[in-house]
Amino acid sequence: MTDVPLALLVVAVLTAAVNVAMAVADLAGARFVLANSAQVGVPRSWLPWLAVLKLAGAAGLLLGVLVGALRPLGVAAACGLVLFYLGAIAFHLRARVLHNLAFPAFYLATAAASLALSGRFVGL
């Protein structure tokens, strides 16, 4: 792990942390999650599954950074998170819920930065 660039480590930990936090909020049924989900047309029954995807992305990203043999997993996890948040933004745009678009856009930015840095780190 000592050969991991500091930028990748910081961005991956930030990306993982925000995804774990949002997954916990999804699983807890936080009021802001329920309100936002209803506004953009995401059924409440999807929330546990979306939380699992966020947790899997966070775990894969951290494992890819911390375990040398799993670096491709980190790239795949970052790619999955990018696709996840592109979908979230699409749901916001489809429902014309723009007042809080900055949140999925921020999560997308962290995932994209993780993808760029981890992809470069493994030589992609």
Side-chain angles (χ1 to χ4, degrees):
M1 180 172 120
T2 57
D3 63 335
V4 176
L6 181 60
L8 173 57
L9 185 60
V10 169
V11 170
V13 168
L14 171 66
T15 303
V18 297
N19 277 281
V20 168
M22 289 310 302
V24 168
D26 289 350
L27 292 171
R31 271 192 279 168
F32 75 93
V33 170
L34 297 177
N36 185 59
S37 298
Q39 287 179 329
V40 300
V42 172
R44 189 174 184 167
S45 63
W46 289 14
L47 293 178
W49 300 108
L50 296 175
V52 167
L53 292 174
K54 292 172 191 174
L55 290 171
L61 192 56
L62 290 177
L63 284 170
V65 169
L66 299 175
V67 180
L70 297 178
R71 288 193 180 131
L73 175 64
V75 176
C79 186
L81 288 172
V82 165
L83 294 172
F84 181 93
Y85 288 110
L86 285 172
I89 289 172
F91 265 74
H92 277 257
L93 294 175
R94 179 187 53 86
R96 292 189 170 95
V97 177
L98 306 177
H99 65 91
N100 59 0
L101 192 61
F103 291 100
F106 171 73
Y107 305 139
L108 173 61
T110 65
S114 293
L115 176 59
L117 291 168
S118 61
R120 182 175 173 155
F121 186 52
V122 299
L124 297 178

